[in-house]
Amino acid sequence: MTTNPIIQVENVYKFFGQLTALNDVSLNITSGEKVVILGPSGSGKSTLLRSINRLEKIDKGHIIVDGQDITAPECNINTVRQELGMVFQSFNLFPHKTVLGNLIMAPMRLKKMSKEEAESIALDLLKKVGISDKAHVYPAKLSGGQQQRVAIARALAMNPKIMLFDEPTSALDPEMIGEVLDVMTSLAKEGMTMVCVTHEMGFAREVADRLVFMDHGEIIEQGTPEEFFTNPKHPRLKQFLEQIL
Amino acid sequence: MSVEKKEVRIAVTDGMLIPSGKDKSVVTAWSISLIFAICSIVYLCVNKPDPYLDIIKFLPDGILVTFKVTVSAILLTIPIGLATGMGRLSENKVINLIASTYVEIIRGIPLLVQLFFIYYAIGEFIQLPDLTAAIIAMSVCYGAYMGEVFRAGIDAVDSGQTEAARSLGFNKTETMFMVILPQAWRTILPPVGNEFIALLKDSSLVSILAVSELLRRGREYASVTFNYFECYLMVALIYLVITLLLSKAVSIMENKLNYYDD
């Protein structure tokens, strides 16, 4: 593990009208680290995650991803985003493409891969997430859990250095959460740098190197899962854990 | 959370009712209308060949011109509509304003007036064949309406699609053409089909511009033989047959585009 952070969030502010969504947030994430961001709804955790690949434009501060300041006007965000896989709460698969089509689109267009090469990588990834039999099916035919696993595979097809997960299991039926978390856990074990916003405490405890607790747009406490769950310091974190556990 | 008041909107298009592809029954408004129109034409031509058969022999040249105007205008309105629709959704204020103003002006002036104006305005600067000028005029008018259809269709695609495409590294143009538009076609096609049918019907307006399309051919025939009633009856029935067939074609295309539904 290198000590140089792969993601640097420096004194970031984000305003939605009167609301301060991010209030002087700073966070460094090193390569290979798994960070889980927790917090009540409206605490700014999704906004922070989405700022990392500039789906939200921040109003003040800097975010440096893999050595590139994505807040700089001359930054080509499209190339930075190729290093950042993103998984959404609502999957957002492309419904007009088959599962395979979803996976090969970006590598073929953006990495100029041949169709054969992209397909062979895609099929390997589908095997990894356990749905190789659905390669030629349209997303509408899949369950939520399957769709989310395809979405993870689609992000991985670009061979990103970092994976961002924005509440990947929140839209799923309870019986499908496990299969998605399993895929995420095995991804973590392979050494992927991961930043997850999730409410899955079991996953957070098992996988995270570090937990970050946010409230009202600020990072209030961070630490290892051990410290977090056994010895929470801040009263708001204590209250949050009581409610959620 | 406040209860959102649901806005009720009643949309009555000036095109045809596109028959539903899922309706498998034989007796529908569409089939009755078509059979009525075709049977009437056949009956009249067989039983009263003079003047009906003569009229029907005289009209095909006009049908051809009607098709020429309609198809050319359609081919021109698609890029105009696409550009206008995207312009109306553009974050660039200047582009947005240009597109919106174009739509606003066109929508506020009757088509017939626009036709006269554009046709003669074009004539002031360049000498174009009548047919070409008419096609350009129709395209400018319908491009604005088409722009609104495209705007609504693009707008209807879930914003998550844009986010997913952008987060993979696609730029705005790639996102639009590879992800958004292929999905927007589905929502766009029925109203676009409707606009096409309306355009075909409105192409009868260019008969006043010395373009010898279906209606004008009918008028030409009638002004010589004084068979006004018979002539316009035939013209009306032929328009009906064409628009009915066109609406069916749109419905078939629509079904083809639904391939990825569950």
PDB file of all heavy atoms in Angstrom, chain B residues 109-118 141 202 204-209:
ATOM      1  N   ILE B 109     -47.540  31.652 -35.556  1.00  0.00           N
ATOM      2  CA  ILE B 109     -48.019  32.118 -36.858  1.00  0.00           C
ATOM      3  C   ILE B 109     -48.705  30.962 -37.589  1.00  0.00           C
ATOM      4  O   ILE B 109     -48.165  29.861 -37.634  1.00  0.00           O
ATOM      5  CB  ILE B 109     -46.833  32.648 -37.712  1.00  0.00           C
ATOM      6  CG1 ILE B 109     -46.109  33.770 -36.969  1.00  0.00           C
ATOM      7  CG2 ILE B 109     -47.309  33.132 -39.071  1.00  0.00           C
ATOM      8  CD1 ILE B 109     -44.828  34.215 -37.632  1.00  0.00           C
ATOM      9  N   PRO B 110     -49.870  31.207 -38.154  1.00  0.00           N
ATOM     10  CA  PRO B 110     -50.552  30.125 -38.867  1.00  0.00           C
ATOM     11  C   PRO B 110     -49.689  29.557 -39.986  1.00  0.00           C
ATOM     12  O   PRO B 110     -48.947  30.293 -40.643  1.00  0.00           O
ATOM     13  CB  PRO B 110     -51.792  30.802 -39.452  1.00  0.00           C
ATOM     14  CG  PRO B 110     -51.996  32.016 -38.640  1.00  0.00           C
ATOM     15  CD  PRO B 110     -50.652  32.442 -38.151  1.00  0.00           C
ATOM     16  N   LEU B 111     -49.783  28.273 -40.175  1.00  0.00           N
ATOM     17  CA  LEU B 111     -48.954  27.592 -41.159  1.00  0.00           C
ATOM     18  C   LEU B 111     -49.131  28.180 -42.557  1.00  0.00           C
ATOM     19  O   LEU B 111     -48.156  28.397 -43.285  1.00  0.00           O
ATOM     20  CB  LEU B 111     -49.307  26.092 -41.165  1.00  0.00           C
ATOM     21  CG  LEU B 111     -48.491  25.201 -42.084  1.00  0.00           C
ATOM     22  CD1 LEU B 111     -47.001  25.350 -41.829  1.00  0.00           C
ATOM     23  CD2 LEU B 111     -48.892  23.744 -41.879  1.00  0.00           C
ATOM     24  N   LEU B 112     -50.368  28.483 -42.890  1.00  0.00           N
ATOM     25  CA  LEU B 112     -50.636  29.009 -44.225  1.00  0.00           C
ATOM     26  C   LEU B 112     -49.920  30.346 -44.433  1.00  0.00           C
ATOM     27  O   LEU B 112     -49.314  30.591 -45.468  1.00  0.00           O
ATOM     28  CB  LEU B 112     -52.150  29.158 -44.416  1.00  0.00           C
ATOM     29  CG  LEU B 112     -52.633  29.453 -45.830  1.00  0.00           C
ATOM     30  CD1 LEU B 112     -52.141  28.417 -46.816  1.00  0.00           C
ATOM     31  CD2 LEU B 112     -54.163  29.506 -45.863  1.00  0.00           C
ATOM     32  N   VAL B 113     -49.973  31.174 -43.389  1.00  0.00           N
ATOM     33  CA  VAL B 113     -49.305  32.477 -43.470  1.00  0.00           C
ATOM     34  C   VAL B 113     -47.797  32.282 -43.597  1.00  0.00           C
ATOM     35  O   VAL B 113     -47.130  32.941 -44.404  1.00  0.00           O
ATOM     36  CB  VAL B 113     -49.640  33.324 -42.226  1.00  0.00           C
ATOM     37  CG1 VAL B 113     -48.907  34.655 -42.263  1.00  0.00           C
ATOM     38  CG2 VAL B 113     -51.138  33.529 -42.121  1.00  0.00           C
ATOM     39  N   GLN B 114     -47.265  31.355 -42.795  1.00  0.00           N
ATOM     40  CA  GLN B 114     -45.831  31.075 -42.882  1.00  0.00           C
ATOM     41  C   GLN B 114     -45.445  30.605 -44.269  1.00  0.00           C
ATOM     42  O   GLN B 114     -44.411  31.003 -44.805  1.00  0.00           O
ATOM     43  CB  GLN B 114     -45.465  29.970 -41.903  1.00  0.00           C
ATOM     44  CG  GLN B 114     -45.470  30.390 -40.475  1.00  0.00           C
ATOM     45  CD  GLN B 114     -45.139  29.206 -39.598  1.00  0.00           C
ATOM     46  OE1 GLN B 114     -44.170  28.507 -39.829  1.00  0.00           O
ATOM     47  NE2 GLN B 114     -45.978  28.954 -38.618  1.00  0.00           N
ATOM     48  N   LEU B 115     -46.262  29.738 -44.822  1.00  0.00           N
ATOM     49  CA  LEU B 115     -45.971  29.206 -46.150  1.00  0.00           C
ATOM     50  C   LEU B 115     -45.865  30.337 -47.162  1.00  0.00           C
ATOM     51  O   LEU B 115     -44.895  30.434 -47.904  1.00  0.00           O
ATOM     52  CB  LEU B 115     -47.051  28.222 -46.583  1.00  0.00           C
ATOM     53  CG  LEU B 115     -46.920  26.803 -46.055  1.00  0.00           C
ATOM     54  CD1 LEU B 115     -48.105  25.961 -46.501  1.00  0.00           C
ATOM     55  CD2 LEU B 115     -45.622  26.165 -46.534  1.00  0.00           C
ATOM     56  N   PHE B 116     -46.866  31.199 -47.153  1.00  0.00           N
ATOM     57  CA  PHE B 116     -46.843  32.350 -48.058  1.00  0.00           C
ATOM     58  C   PHE B 116     -45.574  33.151 -47.843  1.00  0.00           C
ATOM     59  O   PHE B 116     -44.834  33.464 -48.767  1.00  0.00           O
ATOM     60  CB  PHE B 116     -48.053  33.265 -47.796  1.00  0.00           C
ATOM     61  CG  PHE B 116     -49.259  32.896 -48.613  1.00  0.00           C
ATOM     62  CD1 PHE B 116     -50.456  32.557 -48.002  1.00  0.00           C
ATOM     63  CD2 PHE B 116     -49.202  32.898 -50.008  1.00  0.00           C
ATOM     64  CE1 PHE B 116     -51.572  32.219 -48.748  1.00  0.00           C
ATOM     65  CE2 PHE B 116     -50.312  32.558 -50.756  1.00  0.00           C
ATOM     66  CZ  PHE B 116     -51.501  32.217 -50.126  1.00  0.00           C
ATOM     67  N   PHE B 117     -45.341  33.467 -46.557  1.00  0.00           N
ATOM     68  CA  PHE B 117     -44.231  34.346 -46.238  1.00  0.00           C
ATOM     69  C   PHE B 117     -42.890  33.744 -46.663  1.00  0.00           C
ATOM     70  O   PHE B 117     -42.107  34.362 -47.368  1.00  0.00           O
ATOM     71  CB  PHE B 117     -44.214  34.672 -44.743  1.00  0.00           C
ATOM     72  CG  PHE B 117     -43.035  35.510 -44.357  1.00  0.00           C
ATOM     73  CD1 PHE B 117     -43.016  36.870 -44.642  1.00  0.00           C
ATOM     74  CD2 PHE B 117     -41.926  34.940 -43.754  1.00  0.00           C
ATOM     75  CE1 PHE B 117     -41.923  37.643 -44.317  1.00  0.00           C
ATOM     76  CE2 PHE B 117     -40.833  35.710 -43.437  1.00  0.00           C
ATOM     77  CZ  PHE B 117     -40.831  37.067 -43.716  1.00  0.00           C
ATOM     78  N   ILE B 118     -42.619  32.505 -46.197  1.00  0.00           N
ATOM     79  CA  ILE B 118     -41.321  31.893 -46.490  1.00  0.00           C
ATOM     80  C   ILE B 118     -41.144  31.697 -47.995  1.00  0.00           C
ATOM     81  O   ILE B 118     -40.099  31.998 -48.559  1.00  0.00           O
ATOM     82  CB  ILE B 118     -41.170  30.549 -45.726  1.00  0.00           C
ATOM     83  CG1 ILE B 118     -41.181  30.803 -44.226  1.00  0.00           C
ATOM     84  CG2 ILE B 118     -39.888  29.832 -46.132  1.00  0.00           C
ATOM     85  CD1 ILE B 118     -41.289  29.558 -43.381  1.00  0.00           C
ATOM     86  N   CYS B 141     -41.420  25.244 -40.914  1.00  0.00           N
ATOM     87  CA  CYS B 141     -42.593  25.252 -40.036  1.00  0.00           C
ATOM     88  C   CYS B 141     -42.597  24.032 -39.130  1.00  0.00           C
ATOM     89  O   CYS B 141     -42.715  24.145 -37.905  1.00  0.00           O
ATOM     90  CB  CYS B 141     -43.887  25.219 -40.846  1.00  0.00           C
ATOM     91  SG  CYS B 141     -44.022  26.527 -42.027  1.00  0.00           S
ATOM     92  N   ASP B 202     -51.056  18.563 -44.108  1.00  0.00           N
ATOM     93  CA  ASP B 202     -50.828  19.994 -44.318  1.00  0.00           C
ATOM     94  C   ASP B 202     -50.113  20.282 -45.632  1.00  0.00           C
ATOM     95  O   ASP B 202     -50.090  21.432 -46.085  1.00  0.00           O
ATOM     96  CB  ASP B 202     -50.028  20.580 -43.147  1.00  0.00           C
ATOM     97  CG  ASP B 202     -50.919  20.793 -41.935  1.00  0.00           C
ATOM     98  OD1 ASP B 202     -52.156  20.739 -42.108  1.00  0.00           O
ATOM     99  OD2 ASP B 202     -50.398  21.005 -40.835  1.00  0.00           O
ATOM    100  N   SER B 204     -51.213  19.677 -48.252  1.00  0.00           N
ATOM    101  CA  SER B 204     -52.259  20.155 -49.157  1.00  0.00           C
ATOM    102  C   SER B 204     -52.263  21.685 -49.217  1.00  0.00           C
ATOM    103  O   SER B 204     -52.713  22.274 -50.193  1.00  0.00           O
ATOM    104  CB  SER B 204     -53.630  19.651 -48.688  1.00  0.00           C
ATOM    105  OG  SER B 204     -53.905  20.142 -47.400  1.00  0.00           O
ATOM    106  N   LEU B 205     -51.711  22.316 -48.169  1.00  0.00           N
ATOM    107  CA  LEU B 205     -51.674  23.779 -48.159  1.00  0.00           C
ATOM    108  C   LEU B 205     -50.771  24.341 -49.248  1.00  0.00           C
ATOM    109  O   LEU B 205     -50.989  25.458 -49.722  1.00  0.00           O
ATOM    110  CB  LEU B 205     -51.196  24.285 -46.787  1.00  0.00           C
ATOM    111  CG  LEU B 205     -52.155  24.060 -45.618  1.00  0.00           C
ATOM    112  CD1 LEU B 205     -51.486  24.470 -44.322  1.00  0.00           C
ATOM    113  CD2 LEU B 205     -53.445  24.830 -45.817  1.00  0.00           C
ATOM    114  N   VAL B 206     -49.752  23.559 -49.640  1.00  0.00           N
ATOM    115  CA  VAL B 206     -48.853  24.109 -50.653  1.00  0.00           C
ATOM    116  C   VAL B 206     -49.520  24.139 -52.036  1.00  0.00           C
ATOM    117  O   VAL B 206     -48.946  24.642 -52.990  1.00  0.00           O
ATOM    118  CB  VAL B 206     -47.492  23.354 -50.740  1.00  0.00           C
ATOM    119  CG1 VAL B 206     -46.809  23.331 -49.392  1.00  0.00           C
ATOM    120  CG2 VAL B 206     -47.661  21.962 -51.289  1.00  0.00           C
ATOM    121  N   SER B 207     -50.737  23.623 -52.110  1.00  0.00           N
ATOM    122  CA  SER B 207     -51.457  23.713 -53.391  1.00  0.00           C
ATOM    123  C   SER B 207     -51.664  25.168 -53.800  1.00  0.00           C
ATOM    124  O   SER B 207     -51.790  25.482 -54.970  1.00  0.00           O
ATOM    125  CB  SER B 207     -52.812  23.020 -53.271  1.00  0.00           C
ATOM    126  OG  SER B 207     -53.599  23.680 -52.312  1.00  0.00           O
ATOM    127  N   ILE B 208     -51.669  26.064 -52.820  1.00  0.00           N
ATOM    128  CA  ILE B 208     -51.834  27.478 -53.161  1.00  0.00           C
ATOM    129  C   ILE B 208     -50.560  28.088 -53.720  1.00  0.00           C
ATOM    130  O   ILE B 208     -50.548  29.215 -54.174  1.00  0.00           O
ATOM    131  CB  ILE B 208     -52.283  28.294 -51.923  1.00  0.00           C
ATOM    132  CG1 ILE B 208     -51.323  28.000 -50.788  1.00  0.00           C
ATOM    133  CG2 ILE B 208     -53.719  28.007 -51.554  1.00  0.00           C
ATOM    134  CD1 ILE B 208     -51.064  29.176 -49.934  1.00  0.00           C
ATOM    135  N   LEU B 209     -49.454  27.334 -53.623  1.00  0.00           N
ATOM    136  CA  LEU B 209     -48.178  27.878 -54.069  1.00  0.00           C
ATOM    137  C   LEU B 209     -47.780  27.344 -55.441  1.00  0.00           C
ATOM    138  O   LEU B 209     -46.615  27.128 -55.711  1.00  0.00           O
ATOM    139  CB  LEU B 209     -47.072  27.530 -53.068  1.00  0.00           C
ATOM    140  CG  LEU B 209     -47.277  27.960 -51.617  1.00  0.00           C
ATOM    141  CD1 LEU B 209     -46.121  27.489 -50.761  1.00  0.00           C
ATOM    142  CD2 LEU B 209     -47.421  29.469 -51.529  1.00  0.00           C
TER     143      LEU B 209
END
